[in-house]
Amino acid sequence: MSNYKFYDLGVVCGRFGHEHLGHVSLFENCMSLCKRTLILVGSAQEHGTLRNPWRVETRIDVIKETYPGIPETELMIRGINDMTNEYDITSDWGKFVKSEIEYHKHKFANLMVYGNDEFRSKWFAPEDLVGTAELIIPRSTLPISGTMIRGLIVINNETEWQKHTHPLIHSLYGRLRDELMNVPIYKEIYDKVRLSTDMSLDSFMKVYNEYEAEDKAQKLATLNK
């Protein structure tokens, strides 16, 4: 009975840029409860930007590296585009996610697994979740974010980065840093942090937050047109 899976199909959807131990917690909770797991890697159409510096292929490769040897019948990982940008979170987005799940698996999820980001509660209209359970994993259990992971790479603190990532992806650090530091906006951020003479995560976050506020304002403005 210990191998019994309560649900057939579980789905985890996020940008996963790139995967850290908080994401791994989502994946493993889903796989422990479900016979089949589908991971949808969002913002698949975008790379080389502030919020999505890595190509979707890279983000998928990192997750695959964490789970070698698991057949696609049990774990499928696919990209999913934004409808407009990652701040466009409405029930229309939920219907789009639902259609993508049905396309890949010919049915909707029996279980949706989320982190506790507030906006995720707006993904689906109630009628689209009839017969589907939801599991929310509190972020407080593993207080790490994709932004912090990117910051540790920018300041080249590989030792601290390893503490927040799965051991099986540690060999990918060089590839991830090369791709990140070839993104022009991350070169700018690195230069500003370096000139501050404080190569710390706090220093990175201060600079990054300024860029993110501008990026968010621009994207929200496009949605309001």
Side-chain angles (χ1 to χ4, degrees), residues 8-89:
D8 175 33
L9 176 61
V11 175
V12 190
C13 183
R15 290 182 301 115
F16 309 127
H18 68 74
E19 175 207 274
H20 53 68
L21 291 179
H23 299 142
V24 171
S25 176
L26 299 180
F27 304 153
E28 295 191 349
N29 272 280
C30 192
M31 288 189 284
S32 71
L33 292 168
C34 303
K35 296 175 184 176
R36 300 181 295 155
T37 291
L38 171 63
I39 298 173
L40 291 175
V41 181
S43 299
Q45 83 290 348
E46 185 175 312
H47 70 277
T49 64
L50 180 72
R51 296 267 288 170
N52 300 291
W54 287 289
R55 296 174 300 116
V56 69
E57 293 84 2
T58 300
R59 290 181 279 147
I60 288 174
D61 284 350
V62 171
I63 301 171
K64 286 183 176 179
E65 194 77 13
T66 309
Y67 299 103
I70 299 180
E72 274 215 341
T73 53
E74 296 178 21
L75 176 62
M76 178 184 284
I77 308 166
R78 292 291 185 272
I80 181 172
N81 291 345
D82 296 324
M83 293 179 67
T84 50
N85 65 60
E86 71 267 29
Y87 295 108
D88 190 8
I89 303 299

Side-chain angles (χ1 to χ4, degrees), residues 93-212:
W93 164 248
K95 292 182 189 302
F96 176 61
V97 172
K98 185 173 183 177
S99 71
E100 288 292 295
I101 294 168
E102 290 172 341
Y103 171 78
H104 289 298
K105 290 299 188 181
H106 311 295
K107 62 174 285 184
F108 188 49
N110 303 107
L111 177 69
M112 293 292 303
V113 179
Y114 318 110
N116 64 337
D117 304 64
E118 182 181 355
F119 71 80
R120 296 182 193 276
S121 65
K122 302 176 183 177
W123 276 12
F124 297 101
E127 62 269 20
D128 289 328
L129 285 176
V130 173
T132 298
E134 296 177 279
L135 175 63
I136 299 174
I137 308 297
R139 183 184 288 271
S140 59
T141 59
L142 283 167
I144 186 69
S145 69
T147 304
M148 293 166 67
I149 287 293
R150 294 193 293 277
L152 291 171
I153 295 176
V154 167
I155 66 174
N156 204 18
N157 190 337
E158 185 174 358
T159 299
E160 192 66 22
W161 174 85
Q162 289 181 346
K163 294 177 183 178
H164 301 288
T165 54
H166 196 285
L168 288 178
I169 75 165
H170 290 177
S171 62
L172 298 179
Y173 182 81
R175 171 186 170 183
L176 291 167
R177 190 165 197 273
D178 285 348
E179 189 171 336
L180 183 68
M181 297 311 296
N182 275 308
V183 175
I185 199 165
Y186 276 90
K187 290 180 181 178
E188 287 183 27
I189 292 172
Y190 171 80
D191 286 340
K192 288 188 176 183
V193 175
R194 182 173 54 83
L195 288 172
S196 75
T197 69
D198 178 17
M199 290 294 287
S200 68
L201 184 59
D202 285 344
S203 180
F204 165 84
M205 292 299 296
K206 182 178 180 180
V207 175
Y208 179 89
N209 287 338
E210 295 172 358
Y211 279 83
E212 185 178 51

